[in-house]
Amino acid sequence: MVKLLDSDIQTKEVLKWKGLHLFHFLGSACSQKTRIVLNMKSLKWVSHEINLGEKEHFTPWYLGINPRGLVPTLIMDGSVYIESNDIIQLLDEKFPQNKLVPKSFQNKMNELLCHENDLHLDLRTITFRFTQDRGKTPRTTEDLQNFRNGGTGTVEGKADPDKIREIEFWEKVASEGITDQAVKKSAERFRFSLENLNKTLAKNQYLLGNTISILDVAWFIYVNRLIFCGYPIKRLHPNVNKWLEPLHKRPEFAKEIIVSPELAKAVKANHQRQQETKTTLVDVADL
Ligand SMILES: N[C@@H](CCC(=O)N[C@@H](CS)C(=O)NCC(=O)O)C(=O)O
């Protein structure tokens, strides 16, 4: 569980905030996951939107709250939590209504969610190439300089290796783009994991049996994003598709994954171009 120390935080005003405050972005997968759990548990929270498109996550103010420069961040009565999977586990632990971690999985949940979290950079790789066109340098030298200079750079009192990993990811994208090889690798990793989920869902209604859990929420968000990018879920993993359809219809889920007409139009145009040049996700990753 990543709970920041006061010494990790430069924007000290948040340490006095009461109640639940979420820093998030509408289209961010990890934010969507967190908001769905807040909805399912009928919790009241204060919204602080951080616009990733406007690079608000690289401002000194926000880096002073989350030294990784990522969303979401939860403030709960002056304590600061980062990492979406930690946040959803914490919310379930602290608020007893509508429990979303079955008792028998309490010790194993973290490990199960870690597996999903390990695929996050793969999701980003696929997203940045197969949603709207974001140009060659989605994070510029100046953005990365702001990122480097902002915040304490520490998490739980130690220099944070994840910050370096983030900078390296964007520097690589700036120098070589998101290559076919990177897409292939990321898609392969997803295909392997989704095939395992497909087997589980041949027997179970949900990923841990017959009751819904935060693991379903976490994977729902990933699968939803992959489909948006053109991943052929129905053809490759039909049981995952069957599990997904009723979740899509639940209002607590549906309202968090709404796509604006402008974004839908931009993604459609990008997919059209990719179809003409045979560079869709299916083409590149040979799915
Ligand atoms: N492991 C983190 C990943 C958070 C993350 O990467 N968030 C993305 C949005 S989904 C972000 O803030 N990206 C910053 C960027 O695009 O520069 C978590 O689960 O909270």
Side-chain angles (χ1 to χ4, degrees):
M1 168 83 56
V2 184
K3 175 178 181 283
L4 297 184
L5 303 179
D6 289 3
S7 61
D8 297 328
I9 295 157
Q10 280 175 345
T11 306
K12 298 282 186 200
E13 66 202 66
V14 299
L15 300 175
K16 294 195 200 99
W17 290 3
K18 293 283 168 236
L20 291 175
H21 295 253
L22 188 73
F23 290 92
H24 64 113
F25 182 55
L26 217 64
S28 129
C30 299
S31 304
Q32 292 171 335
K33 190 198 291 180
T34 319
R35 296 196 306 261
I36 290 174
V37 171
L38 286 161
N39 292 341
M40 290 177 86
K41 297 189 74 71
S42 310
L43 292 168
K44 282 210 163 51
W45 53 284
V46 182
S47 166
H48 302 264
E49 198 172 341
I50 296 295
N51 190 322
L52 300 184
E54 301 290 330
K55 320 283 171 73
E56 287 177 356
H57 54 312
F58 294 145
T59 58
W61 190 80
Y62 186 65
L63 285 164
I65 299 168
N66 185 331
R68 286 187 182 155
L70 300 171
V71 287
T73 303
L74 180 82
I75 316 284
M76 187 164 75
D77 291 328
S79 294
V80 183
Y81 298 91
I82 58 174
E83 290 302 323
S84 59
N85 287 338
D86 287 353
I87 294 172
I88 59 179
Q89 287 183 89
L90 176 83
L91 290 171
D92 198 58
E93 200 181 294
K94 294 281 174 198
F95 298 95
Q97 64 274 33
N98 193 17
K99 277 291 191 189
L100 294 170
V101 178
K103 274 207 172 82
S104 50
F105 281 95
Q106 260 160 7
N107 294 332
K108 231 184 152 210
M109 186 53 89
N110 201 35
E111 190 191 317
L112 292 169
L113 286 168
C114 269
H115 179 56
E116 178 258 17
N117 186 49
D118 287 346
L119 291 165
H120 190 74
L121 288 185
D122 294 308
L123 191 70
R124 193 186 287 168
T125 297
I126 293 176
T127 298
F128 271 68
R129 177 121 171 224
F130 299 100
T131 53
Q132 76 270 41
D133 185 6
R134 297 163 198 257
K136 274 198 136 121
T137 322
R139 302 293 178 261
T140 63
T141 313
E142 190 192 343
D143 296 331
L144 296 183
Q145 201 52 32
N146 292 338
F147 183 26
R148 257 193 210 94
N149 294 341
T152 57
T154 65
V155 166
E156 296 177 326
K158 296 187 208 98
D160 182 29
D162 282 34
K163 178 163 177 167
I164 298 162
R165 192 186 67 164
E166 286 293 315
I167 292 172
E168 284 173 355
F169 178 90
W170 292 118
E171 282 178 341
K172 194 160 181 224
V173 170
S175 77
E176 56 190 50
I178 293 181
T179 61
D180 285 3
Q181 203 198 0
V183 168
K184 271 190 191 125
K185 266 195 189 159
S186 293
E188 250 166 47
R189 282 199 273 261
F190 269 113
R191 191 170 178 168
F192 178 80
S193 297
L194 291 172
E195 201 32 48
N196 285 336
L197 298 192
N198 199 57
K199 284 186 193 133
T200 303
L201 290 167
K203 302 172 275 170
N204 294 353
Q205 186 183 357
Y206 296 108
L207 295 174
L208 297 180
N210 289 324
T211 45
I212 193 162
S213 73
I214 53 177
L215 192 64
D216 294 288
V217 178
W219 275 105
F220 169 85
I221 286 301
Y222 273 26
V223 175
N224 179 60
R225 172 62 57 80
L226 287 172
I227 293 173
F228 193 51
C229 293
Y231 188 98
I233 201 83
K234 199 169 176 178
R235 171 163 61 80
L236 295 182
H237 317 286
N239 300 326
V240 175
N241 188 59
K242 239 194 261 161
W243 156 87
L244 186 85
E245 277 176 353
L247 293 180
H248 257 140
K249 294 197 182 107
R250 288 188 179 219
E252 316 94 291
F253 286 62
K255 69 178 188 184
E256 300 307 343
I257 53 165
I258 292 171
V259 173
S260 70
E262 299 76 43
L263 177 59
K265 197 170 155 204
V267 174
K268 197 171 164 199
N270 202 21
H271 285 183
Q272 185 116 34
R273 237 186 339 264
Q274 290 174 343
Q275 261 154 22
E276 284 159 15
T277 51
K278 301 223 175 312
T279 53
T280 63
L281 175 56
V282 169
D283 297 320
V284 175
D286 199 13
L287 294 172

